[in-house]
């Protein structure tokens, strides 16, 4: 390695940067490097484009369709109209435009998916890191609880939770988040154990670092890639779970979501009576968003994998 | 004439990424001989070992010739190559821990090549396994053990037994004793020596520890940045290296009891070069304590450095008509040994296979030449501004043939063909690690 | 072996109070599956004086690494005690933390001992942050890097470990230890995973730090050449005990313990016939009775011990733990018998 020769030098920082400026520059460098590598994953880029499209749709929905689109009473069209110039995706059983409903429903689906995934991964990461760091009885208890949650069918548990609690978005988020963390916890614990066996952990201990120092400075940054990738993957399953709950009638009845639309369609007998336009748009939207998050998750995973990132 | 057991001619290996790991290595080995290859990580010595049996990853460009008993390994068909890989030559890899399969009994792992290559019956293979284990100093009953039940030294013995399974004629040992304790290392080295002597094997032993190689091998080649920079009889190279890199390597492991090494660990500033971005000229010049200005632009071929010895250093001797004035462009120096005039007949290791045949005039001429120059130019500036060890004992700059070697006087060191006499820029370009 | 044992090196004036001292130190690990406990360190007395470099030499599995870690409080001791600067080591978290500011660890594998996600700056500043260094962090980091030979330090601040060579990484690790201005460094095989040409540079750095900063060091190694290169004193360890200790010149040029003799005799450059011991050190969970080396001892095997009349003692009589003093000491019945006879006659 000839990293000493001037040609291969990283840009020499300005004469006297403060530690904070150094940290900022480092973070910028990391972000740039991340993006440069992410760019090489074509599927990841496609997923990102799809996500960007749906995010834009959801964020601009108040301007494009407005909350009135949900209103059953002033529905603009007749019930169950076929797709036409006025209603590109047709109308639902109340005469509302399906296009507008799908656009508006994106807000709920994405929000719930995001929040539930973050909640689930956060619980999983905390349990995983602490169980990996503190061995002994704490780890044993934590992992037995994890195992218990792992073998419980997630959906059944979520349905039970959603049934006993009040029917609102918060409930849905909580029901999904609290039931889906065990896989993350297992993964994070395994990674934590791997990190803890590295010599730099011993070096940090010998320097006088305590539990908090080791978990926050060494373990967390090293499990972060895994957590990030896990989050993106978890979002798609959270969106699916939300759709499932809504489809089963356990969602918030006052809001429109993609799962809720599908349930409406089923109740209206769209499956048997051939009203395909009622079913297809929300179904495709769910599939595309879930797929897009999965693609992004895979790309993020392969970019952040420490083995690929370091071994050069 | 019977061909040598192993004859490598101008081997070059370039990895898919463009890293030139081996850049024109030629060496030869006879049965019963032991050749040591020394060098640091990244110098291409392990790549060389893999290239000998075509074990490199696909996409790697390999040129040159690897003649095993006169047959070119690089041109072989697959079937023949497979046969050669165990029966003709075999490798003992470094890190016995990882080279053994953890879920198979060691006996089965030793028997595998026997079954595959000699078509023996399972019973015969089992018998052979027992013999092999006893040969390497393990009880035959250990065949039933799993790798994790063995100690590091025992695992290394198993690896050697595996390598011997098909009675190869050549054994390549890649760092066979790295990560072993001194005592176990001594046991393994002794075992290897005995086996080589008993079975008339050819041995290529690769290590970073010059002292171990000097103790075990007959001849020694020192590699740096994919090339052989020095070679000769093992003891001579170790005790009196001609190339500054060879000297640094042999000084790195002190002789206990040597007062000069007490409280004076010796190393070399800088780091081994990256095969993907080699420095121009002599690849060693950024770290060289005795570099000349011209070293930065001129590649140095292997040249004669005494009886049976060769070194690739400008200070050893400068070929006729190719002094700094004449050879400013590096073109003439692209391949080692394009100047064919200086191959001594005794050289086992030559820069170019075609000039291998006996050439009696070579050494004499060069010797005369070198010493003449030395006398004439004796007043040329020695590099006393470098680290003290640089020229102090005069052997770095000694010319060929032994006559010019007797210039031990530190002040009067010979810098042949060095006319501008302004050796200002020394090796501090080694960078941040002074 | 022409070097006559020279006077003790300049760095160790006559017996100053030891900086770090181990007394009757034992470390045992519980045996797995009902096996007897593993007596990794089995009674060790060891002193390290300020500014002194002590090499702890032995084969893998002899307990040298465990001993080094127990001296830093990284491994709990089962009995005996460790004293640092006159006061016994306190294992309460707060006391341990302040001890770890004064005694530092340098590990064998520089690639592993740096977090791949931390820059050089972060790695060196880690100790400062842990101990809430009141001064200017940047100056301290730059100073430590420069002292460890990475110049100019600013150029290395933003590098990641994978962008450095092995030697540079080890320098970063050493800088990270130096930044807290410790009094003692425990280095576990500091050059074992480095290239031969870089090895000397790192050892020279350790020597320079001793001269410039008065740093004391315990260097754990299996490499006797390293001890010859930099150490003032050497302690040879076998199966949890120190079997021979003393000034480097004496122990390495005129070894007395059969084990030390064998170790030195198998070095490539050693004069005389190599004494290759067969087998490997026994399992530390089953330490042999008598002298712990007797099963492999070449002196006992050749019958020389019997001629000296100590063969029975070798097999049955345990040797006392060697003292921590500076003089050369050997834990061997045969050597003692010879010395007694020489003293008497």
């Amino acid at each position: 390695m000839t990293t000493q020769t001037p040609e291969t030098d990283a840009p020499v920082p300005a004469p006297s940067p403060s530690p904070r400026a150094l940290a900022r520059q480092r973070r910028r460098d990391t972000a740039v490097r991340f993006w440069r590598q992410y760019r090489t994953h074509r599927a990841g880029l496609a997923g990102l484009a799809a996500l960007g499209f749906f995010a834009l749709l959801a964020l601009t929905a108040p301007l494009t369709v407005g909350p009135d689109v949900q209103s059953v009473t002033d529905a603009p069209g007749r019930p169950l109209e076929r797709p036409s110039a006025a209603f590109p995706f047709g109308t639902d059983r109340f005469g509302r435009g399906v296009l507008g409903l799908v656009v508006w429903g994106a807000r709920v689906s994405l929000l719930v998916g995001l929040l539930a995934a973050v909640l689930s991964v956060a619980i999983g990461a905390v349990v995983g890191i602490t169980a990996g760091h503190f061995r002994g009885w704490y780890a044993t208890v934590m992992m037995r609880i994890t195992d218990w949650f792992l073998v419980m069918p997630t959906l059944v548990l979520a349905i039970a939770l959603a049934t006993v609690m009040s029917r609102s978005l918060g409930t849905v988020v909580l029901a999904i988040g609290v039931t889906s963390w065990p896989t993350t916890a297992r993964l994070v614990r395994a990674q934590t154990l791997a990190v803890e066996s590295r010599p730099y952990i011993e070096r940090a201990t010998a320097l006088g670092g305590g539990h908090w120092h080791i978990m926050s400075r060494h373990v967390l940054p090293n499990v972060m890639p895994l957590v990030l990738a896990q989050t993106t993957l978890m979002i798609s399953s959270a969106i699916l779970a939300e759709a499932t709950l809504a489809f089963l009638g356990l969602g918030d009845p006052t809001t429109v979501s993609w799962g809720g639309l599908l349930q409406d369609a089923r109740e209206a007998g769209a499956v048997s009576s051939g009203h395909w336009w009622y079913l297809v748009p929300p179904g495709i939207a769910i599939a595309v968003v879930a797929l897009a998050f999965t693609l992004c998750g895979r790309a993020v995973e392969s970019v952040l994998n420490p083995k690929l990132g370091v071994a050069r | 004439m019977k061909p040598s057991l192993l004859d490598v001619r101008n081997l070059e290996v370039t990895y898919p990424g463009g890293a030139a790991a081996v850049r024109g290595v030629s060496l030869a080995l006879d049965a019963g001989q032991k050749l040591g290859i020394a060098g640091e990580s990244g110098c291409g010595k392990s790549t060389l070992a893999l290239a000998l049996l075509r074990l490199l990853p696909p996409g790697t460009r390999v040129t040159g010739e690897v003649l095993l008993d006169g047959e070119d390994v690089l041109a072989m068909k697959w079937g023949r190559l497979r046969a050669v890989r165990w029966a003709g030559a075999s490798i003992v890899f470094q890190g016995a821990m990882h080279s053994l399969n953890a879920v198979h009994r060691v006996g089965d792992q030793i028997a595998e090549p026997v079954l595959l290559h000699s078509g023996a019956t399972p019973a015969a293979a089992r018998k052979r396994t027992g013999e092999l284990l006893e040969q390497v100093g393990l009880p035959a009953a250990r065949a039933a053990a799993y790798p994790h039940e063995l100690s590091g030294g025992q695992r290394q013995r198993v690896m050697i037994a595996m390598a011997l399974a098909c009675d190869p004629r050549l054994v390549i040992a890649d760092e066979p004793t790295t990560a072993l304790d001194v005592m176990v290392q001594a046991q393994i080295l002794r075992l290897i020596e005995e086996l080589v002597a008993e079975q008339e094997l050819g041995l290529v032993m690769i290590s970073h520890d010059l002292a171990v190689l000097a103790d075990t091998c007959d001849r020694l080649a020192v590699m740096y940045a994919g090339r052989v920079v020095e070679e000769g009889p093992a003891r001579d190279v170790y005790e009196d290296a001609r190339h500054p890199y060879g000297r640094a390597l042999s000084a790195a492991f002190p002789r206990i009891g040597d007062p000069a090494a007490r409280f004076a660990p010796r190393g070399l500033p800088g780091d081994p070069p990256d095969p993907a971005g080699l420095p121009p000229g002599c690849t060693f010049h950024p770290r060289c304590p005795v570099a000349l200005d011209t070293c930065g632009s001129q590649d140095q071929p292997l040249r004669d450095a005494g009886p049976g010895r060769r070194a690739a250093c400008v200070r050893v001797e400068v070929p006729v008509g190719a002094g700094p004035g004449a050879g400013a462009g590096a073109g003439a120096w692209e391949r080692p040994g394009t100047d064919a005039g200086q191959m001594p007949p005794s050289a086992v290791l030559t820069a170019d296979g075609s000039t291998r045949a006996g050439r009696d005039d070579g050494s004499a001429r060069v010797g005369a030449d070198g010493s003449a120059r030395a006398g004439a130019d004796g007043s040329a500036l020695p590099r006393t501004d470098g680290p003290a060890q640089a020229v102090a004992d005069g052997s770095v700059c000694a010319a060929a043939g032994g006559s010019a070697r007797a210039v031990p006087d530190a002040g009067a060191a010979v810098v042949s063909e060095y006319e501008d006499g302004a050796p200002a820029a020394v090796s501090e370009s080694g960078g941040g690690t002074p | 072996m022409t070097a006559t044992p020279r006077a003790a090196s300049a760095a160790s004036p006559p017996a100053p109070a030891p900086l770090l001292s181990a007394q009757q130190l034992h470390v045992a690990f519980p045996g797995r599956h009902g096996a007897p406990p593993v007596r990794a360190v089995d009674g060790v007395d060891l002193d390290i004086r300020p500014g002194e470099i002590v090499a702890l030499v032995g084969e893998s599995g002899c307990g040298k690494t465990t001993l080094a870690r127990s001296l830093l409080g990284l491994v709990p001791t089962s009995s005996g005690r460790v004293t640092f600067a006159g006061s016994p080591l306190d294992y309460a978290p707060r006391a341990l933390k302040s001890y770890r500011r004064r005694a530092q660890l340098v590990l064998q594998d520089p690639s592993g001992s740096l977090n791949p996600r931390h820059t050089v700056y972060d790695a060196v500043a880690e100790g400062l942050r842990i101990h809430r260094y009141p001064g200017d962090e940047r100056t301290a980091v730059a100073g430590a890097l420069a002292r460890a030979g990475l110049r100019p330090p600013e150029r290395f601040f933003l590098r990641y470990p994978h962008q450095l060579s092995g030697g540079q990484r080890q320098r970063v690790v050493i800088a990270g230890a130096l930044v807290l201005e410790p009094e003692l460094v425990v280095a576990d095989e500091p050059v074992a995973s480095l290239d031969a040409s870089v090895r000397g540079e790192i050892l020279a750095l350790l020597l320079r730090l001793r001269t410039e900063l008065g740093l004391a060091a315990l260097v754990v190694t299996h490499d006797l050449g390293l001890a010859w290169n930099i150490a003032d004193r050497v302690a040879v360890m076998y199966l949890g005990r120190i079997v021979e200790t003393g000034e480097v010149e004496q122990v390495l040029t005129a070894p007395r313990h059969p084990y030390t003799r064998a170790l030195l005799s198998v070095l490539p450059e050693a004069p005389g016939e190599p004494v290759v011991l067969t087998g490997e050190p026994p399992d530390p969970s089953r330490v042999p009775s008598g002298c712990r080396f007797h099963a492999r001892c070449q002196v006992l095997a050749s019958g020389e011990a019997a001629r000296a009349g100590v063969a029975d003692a070798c097999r049955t009589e345990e040797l006392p733990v060697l003292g921590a003093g500076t003089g050369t000491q050997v834990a061997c019945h045969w050597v003692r018998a010879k010395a007694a006879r020489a003293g008497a006659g």
Side-chain angles (χ1 to χ4, degrees):
Chain A
M1 289 217 232
T2 49
T3 38
Q4 293 181 339
T5 48
E7 309 88 85
T8 53
D9 267 353
V12 176
S16 185
S18 67
R20 188 164 304 170
L22 284 176
R24 218 178 306 130
Q25 182 179 350
R26 193 192 69 218
R27 245 169 262 142
R28 203 169 47 231
D29 290 352
T30 315
V32 168
R33 201 167 40 232
F34 176 85
W35 172 240
R36 211 172 286 152
Q37 285 184 30
Y38 188 92
R39 243 179 5 195
T40 59
H41 292 264
R42 208 176 294 170
L45 281 184
L48 198 64
L51 283 187
F53 171 73
F54 275 100
L56 200 69
L57 217 60
L59 288 174
T60 57
L63 305 173
T64 50
V65 295
D68 295 344
V69 75
Q70 296 183 81
S71 165
V72 181
T73 43
D74 3 310
R78 284 170 297 118
L80 297 173
E81 263 185 73
R82 287 186 158 273
S84 64
F87 302 104
F89 286 0
T91 60
D92 73 348
R93 59 174 167 158
F94 304 111
R96 300 178 295 187
V98 172
L99 176 63
L101 289 173
V102 167
V103 169
W104 193 255
R107 292 169 70 83
V108 172
S109 287
L110 288 180
L111 185 70
V112 170
L114 221 64
L115 288 180
V118 166
L119 179 66
S120 147
V121 171
I123 299 174
V126 169
V127 170
I129 290 178
T130 51
H133 179 77
F134 302 102
R135 319 275 161 89
W137 64 266
Y138 173 82
T140 316
V141 170
M142 273 331 220
M143 289 332 283
R144 288 300 81 76
I145 295 176
T146 311
D147 288 343
W148 187 80
F149 269 100
L150 203 58
V151 294
M152 286 293 285
T154 309
L155 196 60
V156 174
L157 205 62
I159 289 169
L161 271 176
T163 325
V164 294
M165 299 197 318
S166 68
R167 293 174 74 185
S168 70
L169 278 188
T171 306
V172 174
V173 168
L174 209 64
I176 298 172
V178 167
T179 53
S180 59
W181 58 268
T183 18
T184 315
R186 282 246 156 226
L187 277 173
V188 169
R189 176 171 167 272
Q191 179 77 5
T192 304
L193 288 177
V195 171
E196 293 256 345
S197 69
R198 305 285 296 148
Y200 55 80
I201 299 292
E202 185 175 32
R203 174 174 171 266
T205 317
L207 279 169
H211 296 301
W212 173 248
H213 174 86
I214 287 181
M215 285 193 285
S216 63
R217 288 300 173 108
H218 291 284
V219 178
L220 189 63
N222 278 291
V223 300
M224 216 46 211
L226 185 78
V227 167
L228 214 66
Q230 183 68 11
T231 311
T232 32
L233 293 175
M234 194 57 89
I235 291 173
S236 66
S237 60
I239 287 174
L240 289 177
E242 190 275 334
T244 314
L245 288 180
F247 180 75
L248 295 173
L250 296 165
D252 183 353
T254 58
T255 55
V256 172
S257 73
W258 293 337
L261 276 178
L262 285 178
Q263 194 224 357
D264 278 353
R266 189 185 58 88
E267 277 180 5
V271 184
S272 47
S273 50
H275 307 311
W276 55 267
W277 61 88
Y278 203 169
L279 286 165
V280 170
I284 286 184
I286 291 171
V288 168
V289 169
L291 180 69
F293 271 112
T294 310
L295 290 179
C296 289
R298 293 270 173 249
V300 169
E301 207 174 20
S302 75
V303 170
L304 290 182
N305 188 334
K307 276 179 209 131
L308 305 174
V310 174
R312 246 174 300 153
Chain B
M1 199 177 107
K2 191 172 167 294
S4 324
L5 173 60
L6 176 71
D7 192 351
V8 179
R9 296 185 183 171
N10 206 13
L11 184 71
E12 298 194 17
V13 180
T14 310
Y15 280 114
V22 178
R23 306 179 301 131
V25 165
S26 300
L27 44 87
L29 178 74
D30 284 323
Q33 260 201 337
K34 292 167 285 185
L35 171 68
I37 298 179
E40 298 178 273
S41 56
C43 78
K45 57 193 199 302
S46 290
T47 304
L48 175 67
L50 295 174
L52 295 185
L53 288 181
R54 256 166 78 184
L55 290 167
L56 291 163
T60 314
R61 218 159 39 90
V62 184
T63 59
E65 283 176 283
V66 177
L67 301 180
L68 197 64
D69 275 328
E71 196 179 356
D72 191 356
V73 173
L74 300 182
M76 273 177 196
K77 293 219 161 58
W78 269 106
R80 176 81 192 117
L81 182 66
R82 260 169 49 89
V84 161
R85 273 194 189 158
W86 285 99
S90 59
I91 295 197
V92 180
F93 286 106
Q94 56 183 327
M97 184 65 141
H98 309 294
S99 303
L100 288 172
N101 190 332
V103 300
H104 291 295
R105 295 179 196 277
V106 293
D108 297 343
Q109 298 188 50
I110 298 173
E112 195 181 353
V114 179
L115 286 168
L116 276 175
H117 287 278
S118 59
T121 61
R126 215 170 306 129
K127 186 159 161 286
R128 173 88 183 119
T129 304
E131 286 168 17
L132 284 165
L133 282 174
E134 273 166 13
Q135 224 170 14
V136 297
L138 287 174
R142 292 307 260 167
Y146 287 97
H148 69 89
E149 296 170 323
L150 303 176
S151 69
Q154 288 172 328
R155 270 186 230 126
Q156 197 62 54
R157 285 169 192 269
V158 169
M159 291 293 295
I160 294 171
M162 255 166 106
L164 296 176
C166 294
D167 291 318
R169 310 220 22 238
L170 172 71
V171 171
I172 301 159
D174 187 359
E175 303 266 11
T177 60
T178 307
L180 295 180
D181 281 315
V182 254
M183 197 52 74
V184 183
Q185 170 175 312
Q187 292 167 359
I188 297 288
L189 290 178
R190 176 170 278 201
L191 170 70
I192 290 178
E193 279 184 61
E194 282 168 9
L195 290 171
V196 168
E198 266 170 35
Q199 310 190 4
E200 272 284 293
L201 295 173
L203 174 73
V204 176
M205 188 157 132
I206 296 172
S207 176
H208 66 279
D209 189 336
L210 210 60
V212 164
L213 291 179
D215 215 38
T216 314
C217 297
D218 309 314
R219 292 186 69 81
L220 206 56
V222 179
M223 278 184 78
Y224 189 80
R227 286 222 186 131
V228 172
V229 294
E230 165 141 26
E231 72 91 15
R235 207 108 288 273
D236 295 357
V237 173
Y238 179 55
E239 276 162 11
D240 176 29
R242 297 295 168 75
H243 194 280
Y245 180 66
R247 296 173 63 76
L249 267 193
S250 73
F253 297 95
R255 296 146 184 81
I256 287 174
D258 174 11
R262 187 79 177 117
F263 292 119
R266 268 176 283 176
L268 206 53
D271 294 294
D274 178 2
L278 293 172
C282 169
T283 46
F284 185 62
H285 84 270
R287 303 174 75 192
C288 184
V290 292
L292 306 177
D293 286 349
T294 48
C295 291
S297 56
Q298 277 179 15
D299 204 350
Q300 298 301 330
L302 270 177
R303 58 192 80 193
D304 231 344
R309 303 188 53 180
R310 301 148 59 65
C313 180
V314 69
R315 292 195 172 256
V316 171
E317 189 270 336
V318 173
V320 189
W333 299 100
E334 236 146 48
R335 290 266 183 286
T338 39
D339 50 328
Q342 352 157 17
M343 305 299 157
S346 55
V348 167
L349 219 126
T350 63
D352 185 340
S354 60
T355 61
R356 178 177 316 265
R359 194 183 287 273
D360 289 345
D361 54 337
S363 53
R365 184 178 57 74
V366 170
D369 211 305
S371 50
R373 212 178 296 278
D377 238 352
S379 58
L381 277 180
R383 309 296 306 259
T384 42
D385 49 349
Q389 89 201 57
V391 206
D393 33 19
S395 44
V396 176
C397 47
S403 55
R405 226 213 250 166
V407 197
D409 189 345
V414 183
V415 184
S416 41
E417 279 287 318
Y418 183 54
E419 273 135 315
D420 11 80
V426 207
S427 61
E428 291 301 359
S429 50
T433 54
Chain C
M1 302 271 169
T2 51
T4 50
R6 287 183 289 177
S9 72
S12 50
L19 178 65
L20 180 78
S21 159
Q23 286 134 35
Q24 290 290 333
L25 199 67
H26 288 75
V27 179
F29 300 112
R32 264 180 288 179
H33 310 302
V38 177
R39 286 145 71 187
V41 177
D42 198 26
V44 166
D45 279 13
L46 184 69
D47 278 1
I48 299 161
R49 274 162 277 279
E52 187 183 36
I53 298 183
V54 177
L56 185 61
V57 179
E59 292 177 87
S60 57
C62 74
K64 57 187 195 299
T65 299
T66 310
L67 173 59
R69 280 168 175 61
S70 67
L71 291 178
L72 287 175
L74 291 167
V75 173
T77 56
S78 18
S79 69
R81 62 180 198 161
V82 179
T83 317
F84 185 78
S87 51
L89 196 54
D90 183 348
Y91 290 89
R94 191 173 297 257
L96 213 49
K97 185 170 168 181
S98 72
Y99 170 55
R100 284 172 179 165
R101 183 173 185 155
R102 303 172 68 184
Q104 289 293 327
L105 176 68
V106 172
L107 290 165
Q108 164 177 4
D109 171 20
S111 325
S113 40
L114 292 174
N115 188 331
R117 298 186 181 280
H118 285 184
T119 55
V120 166
Y121 184 91
D122 287 331
V124 176
E126 186 172 2
L128 297 174
R129 289 173 187 162
I130 289 171
H131 294 280
R132 303 189 193 287
Y133 179 66
D136 181 14
E137 185 181 281
R138 197 177 169 278
T139 320
V141 171
L145 282 173
R147 230 176 289 144
L150 294 171
R151 296 196 195 89
E154 286 79 11
R155 187 196 273 186
F156 292 91
F157 278 1
L158 290 182
R159 298 267 179 89
Y160 282 90
H162 67 86
Q163 295 168 319
L164 304 175
S165 70
Q168 289 173 329
R169 279 179 216 157
Q170 193 62 301
R171 285 173 193 273
V172 172
V173 172
I174 292 174
L178 287 181
V179 75
L180 290 168
E181 296 172 359
E183 292 148 69
L184 171 75
V185 166
V186 174
D188 185 1
E189 301 274 14
V191 293
S193 58
L194 298 180
D195 272 323
S197 67
V198 181
R199 177 198 131 99
E201 298 279 300
I202 296 291
L203 293 181
L205 170 64
L206 287 177
L207 267 183
R208 207 177 68 230
L209 294 174
R210 186 264 286 274
T211 330
E212 285 172 9
L213 310 173
L215 200 62
L218 176 70
V219 184
V220 176
T221 182
H222 66 274
D223 178 358
L224 291 161
L226 187 157
W228 181 260
N229 266 158
I230 65 167
D232 301 307
R233 281 197 302 129
V234 61
V236 181
M237 205 165 165
Y238 183 79
L239 212 55
R241 280 266 175 99
I242 289 173
V243 294
E244 179 159 7
T245 169
E247 301 291 334
V248 165
E249 280 90 351
Q250 281 174 21
V251 173
L252 295 190
T253 55
R256 294 200 282 163
H257 195 284
Y259 180 62
T260 320
R261 290 177 171 214
L263 279 185
L264 281 162
S265 76
V266 297
L267 293 183
E269 279 302 297
E273 185 59 23
V275 181
V276 181
L277 301 175
T278 50
E280 279 157 49
D283 187 345
S285 63
R286 283 186 293 270
V287 177
S289 63
C291 167
R292 52 194 62 214
F293 183 58
H294 83 258
R296 298 175 77 200
C297 182
Q298 72 274 22
V299 172
L300 182 62
S302 67
E304 199 145 334
R307 279 194 287 285
V310 291
D312 282 344
C314 288
R315 292 199 181 89
T316 53
E317 200 177 305
E318 192 161 345
L319 287 147
V321 172
L322 293 183
T326 39
T328 307
Q329 300 174 69
V330 187
C332 175
H333 291 297
W334 175 67
V335 172
R336 280 161 192 243
K338 268 205 317 185
R341 201 170 310 152

